[in-house]
Amino acid sequence: MTLRRRVVPGPAGRISCLWGEADSPHVPVVFVHGINGAATQWSSVIDQVTEREVLAVDLRGHGGSEPGGCYGAADYAADVSAAMSAVGITRAHLVGASFGGGVCVTLAAAEPDRVASLTIIGGALGIGAASAGSDVEAAVAALRQVGLESFFEQAAAVGFGPNTDDEMLRESVRLALGRDIAVIEAVLRAALTSDVSAAAAQTTAPARVLTGEHDRTCPPELGAALAASLQADCTVLPGLGHMAHIEDPEQIAGLLAAHLDHVERPGQAHTVRGC
């Protein structure tokens, strides 16, 4: 599929996204990255999504999108909704990685008629809310002490599974750089203090949660808690880490296709390895 770069108006400024048109009766798929990522991280998954319109959004302050406003799950959800409207997508299957999963849950709770299903990779209800103050200040202090590049190199080393090649790590760091440190700090603070439990409790869209066996950012037990709140299946991905959609895009694309088939043709079943 050929992806076009589109820049559309958003609640806090211009939103950059990748858009692939398709003359298809199937419900489109919208992809949402995690913090310090970008829409391009979905390219290898999108390559295997055929016969559907697709949209991958650079959230505000990421990729080619302008910074501005706040950086909570509801703010990002507004960005995704605006991008969908700008390209004419009224309803979609949402796919979110890491904090992008919380963004998808938040949008599904706020605008249920626009969300056909959820697929969440490496997501959680919250990763820092229980000890928000100390964890956030420690993370921001580390960022200032070691500098952006070293900070993101350390984050990449934790975020990927044990078999990830060095080029994937370098690309992850490259995408995270090139932004003002004040924006990065604001993004980090919002993510570490976020909790989407209330939104998850309101979400009725059929969901599936995928979690890497070696995910140290949102470990399988957090994925299981998210899945339980969504009344969803939770699948552990052997050998993979937090960035499973980058580490093994073929497997993720296959699991996504199976979930969409299950949603659109409910008689079909899919195999689940529980969290």
Side-chain angles (χ1 to χ4, degrees):
M1 174 179 291
T2 301
L3 295 176
R4 296 170 50 201
R5 177 65 67 174
R6 287 282 306 268
V7 178
V8 302
R14 294 187 303 273
I15 298 172
S16 181
C17 49
L18 296 174
W19 180 43
E21 295 180 87
D23 183 13
S24 168
H26 297 294
V27 176
V29 183
V30 174
F31 296 87
V32 184
H33 64 78
I35 64 165
N36 303 316
T40 54
Q41 292 179 314
W42 292 106
S43 297
S44 294
V45 176
I46 290 173
D47 284 344
Q48 299 171 71
V49 178
T50 59
E51 299 182 353
R52 291 181 189 268
E53 182 178 4
V54 297
L55 179 70
V57 181
D58 281 341
L59 301 173
R60 66 181 69 182
H62 295 78
S65 294
E66 288 186 299
C70 299
Y71 298 92
D75 306 297
Y76 291 140
D79 292 343
V80 176
S81 180
M84 288 172 61
S85 296
V87 301
I89 295 176
T90 57
R91 186 168 181 264
H93 297 286
L94 301 186
V95 183
S98 189
F99 193 58
V103 175
C104 292
V105 169
T106 301
L107 181 54
E111 302 185 59
D113 291 343
R114 303 199 75 183
V115 179
S117 76
L118 299 170
T119 300
I120 299 173
I121 304 151
L125 294 168
I127 61 173
S131 54
S134 59
D135 284 357
V136 170
E137 294 313 314
V140 171
L143 173 65
R144 293 173 178 171
Q145 180 178 5
V146 305
L148 293 180
E149 188 165 358
S150 293
F151 181 83
F152 287 126
E153 285 174 349
Q154 294 171 22
V158 171
F160 286 85
N163 299 316
T164 305
D165 64 59
D166 290 341
E167 180 54 36
M168 285 186 185
L169 299 178
R170 287 192 293 269
E171 177 63 9
S172 175
V173 173
R174 186 191 69 78
L175 287 176
L177 295 173
R179 296 173 295 148
D180 187 88
I181 190 169
V183 172
I184 293 171
E185 287 184 6
V187 166
L188 193 61
R189 288 178 186 277
L192 290 178
T193 56
S194 178
D195 189 321
V196 299
S197 297
Q202 298 171 31
T203 299
T204 58
R208 189 174 191 186
V209 175
L210 309 174
T211 180
E213 176 189 14
H214 300 291
D215 190 336
R216 289 179 283 174
T217 303
C218 296
E221 57 267 27
L222 294 186
L226 172 62
S229 185
L230 294 171
Q231 300 184 36
D233 293 334
C234 180
T235 303
V236 173
L237 306 175
L240 300 182
H242 186 57
M243 307 296 280
H245 60 301
I246 303 174
E247 298 170 51
D248 193 345
E250 289 188 10
Q251 181 176 184
I252 296 302
L255 292 168
L256 171 60
H259 180 53
L260 301 191
D261 284 346
H262 179 72
V263 170
E264 295 178 351
R265 292 184 283 176
Q268 294 195 356
H270 52 250
T271 302
V272 175
R273 180 185 172 189
C275 292

